[in-house]
């Protein structure tokens, strides 16, 4: 690409790549600036927050001091990332990694950035600025015998620079430096970060070596994936993105490692996604099982069941398993002026019937993969099946977490799904059978209620909620769930595409089109539904068309502006990558059957 230009100090979201270590995720821009990093955990206050505050936010910027172009890509089957900077005088490669060790995740966060001269001579500038957490902390630096140390609230960090890095100035918050590299020379810049704990002081050589160790670990993990079907590289890249979102200390799945990236530029639909949703966890576990990543699936399922046993079927939890805090607003400008910036999520106080369907679907997938359930898990599932049988008639906030409780069609379908899977689990001997017949009768009642109240003859489709004409793209998921009204679901898909289509993508609901971009997961859900209904060519065209419109491989966001192609919403967005994996796997399975 040409010199990656900033608009009012901000990069386009499609110019970021994600780095991760199983504990945190950093967003590295194509112009050499790391603009977002919550360290040492994904839900820690940000160390770098230029993404939301272009002028004053923290950043770790390394770039040529002359006009340049940038070419960037992940290493094959790895989350180690490389950028090639080209200037009139030479070429340099930037390799970036959040490092792991030979035994897995390090007990600290280690951000490594290696520079190598490839041609001629390149001079670069370094601007390392520690974030002040929206003015709530005052960072400071001090030198001791083990290196340059910084403090930012509870965060303690060590800065490591190679010999080619010449510090021009330093104050309590920032370091500015220059680098000159000839062809064949290399240097390293790195941060070692922890919180309220002693830190090791690894050498430059150790950190540099761990870039290759990390690359090997990523490629070894990817090499164990079972998927070898069509779009293999696309599936592997999405699997790597999902692996970034697995919080390894607990097994939680974060929806996205960012907050407040807008669903419409300048709008106020800016949410904090640094939490673990039951829905996202369920879909991720299914994807990991489909890809043969059983260790990740087990960790995530164990975490999910433990939280439900502790707190009940809540919508979301913190990454360490607590109930999420209510929203508070942070006084920073926001991405390209999109305010407010939020911390916390009010969906924690909602009830969504969909969590029942998600819980039981993943339990069923787990046991059909050859796993077994313990007695405590079986008891928790049985109790939740009873809760669903009692509660399905009540309104809820729906899959999209809307403010007004309604009789949402997708929520009712999720209740049918939960009760259907509970019956299957009981019949297969995985959970107690005491209430099995009651669950079966309630599943029939739910299905009949949906057909009486949520089907619109005028629309020729299931509507978003009972008694209204709004259309909801999430109803495409009902095909995956096996809801037994295939003809009506096929007709609903036709209406969804006609009413909610926007180029290669689709909006979520009729009344949300003016408020936000197209929701990427919906397109892949629709394509997957077409596969399961036997429309392979149509599904393939939709799947490949959406990927082509995204126009790159890497990490994907929540939404896209159909008019401009600009990315919107938090990223990397797990739901998008999950939808890609599920659709590709469905296509591959159908092709293997000769469909």
């Amino acid at each position: 690409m040409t010199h990656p230009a900033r608009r009012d100090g901000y990069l386009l979201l499609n110019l970021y790549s994600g780095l991760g270590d199983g504990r945190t995720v950093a967003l590295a821009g194509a112009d050499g600036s790391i603009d977002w990093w919550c360290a040492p955990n994904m839900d820690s206050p940000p160390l770098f927050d230029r993404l939301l505050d272009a002028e004053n936010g923290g950043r770790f910027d390394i770039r040529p001091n002359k006009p340049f172009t940038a070419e960037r890509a992940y290493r094959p089957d790895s989350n180690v990332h490389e950028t090639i900077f080209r200037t009139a005088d030479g070429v340099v490669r930037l390799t970036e990694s959040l490092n792991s060790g030979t035994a897995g995740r390090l007990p600290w966060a280690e951000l490594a950035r290696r520079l190598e001269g490839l041609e001629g001579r390149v001079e670069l500038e370094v601007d390392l600025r520690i974030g002040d957490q929206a003015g709530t902390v005052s960072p400071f630096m001090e030198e001791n015998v083990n290196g340059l140390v910084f403090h930012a609230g509870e965060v303690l960090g060590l800065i490591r620079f190679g010999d080619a890095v010449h510090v021009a100035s330093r104050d309590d918050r920032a370091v500015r430096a220059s680098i000159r590299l000839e062809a064949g020379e290399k240097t390293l810049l790195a941060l070692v970060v922890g919180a309220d704990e002693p830190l090791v002081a690894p050498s430059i050589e150790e950190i540099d070596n761990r870039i290759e160790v990390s690359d090997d670990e990523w490629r070894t993990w990817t090499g164990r994936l079972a998927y070898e079907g069509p779009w293999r590289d696309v599936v592997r890249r999405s699997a790597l993105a999902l692996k970034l979102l697995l919080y390894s200390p607990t097994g939680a799945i974060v929806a996205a490692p960012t907050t407040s990236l807008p669903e419409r530029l300048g709008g106020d639909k800016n949410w904090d996604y640094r939490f673990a949703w039951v829905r996202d966890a369920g879909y991720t576990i299914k994807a990991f099982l489909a890809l043969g990543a059983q260790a990740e699936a087990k960790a995530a399922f164990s975490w999910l069941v433990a939280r439900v046993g502790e707190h009940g079927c809540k919508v979301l939890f913190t990454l360490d398993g607590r109930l999420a805090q209510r929203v508070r607003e942070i006084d920073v400008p926001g991405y390209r002026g999109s305010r407010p910036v939020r911390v916390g999520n009010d969906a924690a106080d909602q009830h969504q019937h969909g969590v029942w369907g998600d819980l039981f679907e993943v339990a069923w997938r787990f046991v059909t993969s050859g796993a077994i359930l313990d007695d405590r898990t079986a008891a928790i599932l049985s109790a939740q099946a009873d809760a669903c049988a009692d509660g399905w008639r009540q309104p809820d906030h729906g899959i999209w977490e809307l403010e007004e409780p309604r009789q949402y069609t997708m929520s009712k379908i999720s209740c049918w799904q939960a009760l259907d899977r509970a019956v299957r689990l009981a019949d297969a001997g995985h959970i107690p059978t005491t209430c099995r017949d009651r669950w079966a009768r309630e599943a029939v009642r739910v299905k009949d209620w949906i057909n009486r109240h949520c089907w619109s003859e005028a629309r020729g489709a299931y509507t978003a909620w009972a008694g209204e004409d709004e259309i909801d793209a999430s109803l495409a998921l009902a095909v995956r769930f096996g809801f037994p009204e295939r003809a009506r679901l096929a007709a609903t898909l036709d209406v969804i595409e006609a009413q909610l289509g926007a180029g290669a993508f689709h909006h979520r609901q009729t009344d949300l089109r003016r408020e936000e971009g197209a929701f990427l997961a919906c397109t892949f859900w629709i394509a997957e539904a077409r596969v399961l209904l036997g429309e392979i060519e149509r599904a393939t065209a939709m799947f490949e068309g959406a990927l082509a419109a995204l126009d790159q491989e890497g990490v994907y966001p929540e939404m896209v502006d159909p008019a401009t192609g600009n990315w919107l919403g938090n990223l990397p967005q797990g739901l998008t990558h999950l939808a890609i994996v599920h659709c590709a796997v469905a296509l591959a399975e159908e092709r293997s059957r000769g469909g």
Side-chain angles (χ1 to χ4, degrees), residues 540-561:
T540 301
M542 184 181 295
F543 181 73
E544 292 183 335
L547 291 174
L550 287 170
D551 195 32
Q552 67 185 65
E553 287 188 11
V555 296
Y556 293 137
E558 181 181 30
M559 297 183 183
V560 166
D561 183 338

Side-chain angles (χ1 to χ4, degrees), residues 8 19 60 85 90 95 102 182 252 273 277 281 295 337 344 585:
D8 301 321
L19 312 173
F60 189 179
F85 294 125
T95 302
T102 53
E182 305 277 352
Y273 275 17
W277 269 255
V585 169

Side-chain angles (χ1 to χ4, degrees), residues 250-252 285 295-309 366 374 376-377 380:
T250 64
I285 294 163
E296 288 75 15
K298 189 274 177 192
F301 184 56
S302 295
W303 176 88
L304 176 59
V305 171
R307 301 291 75 74
V308 172
F366 192 67
D374 60 286
R376 179 173 178 272
T377 297
I380 289 170

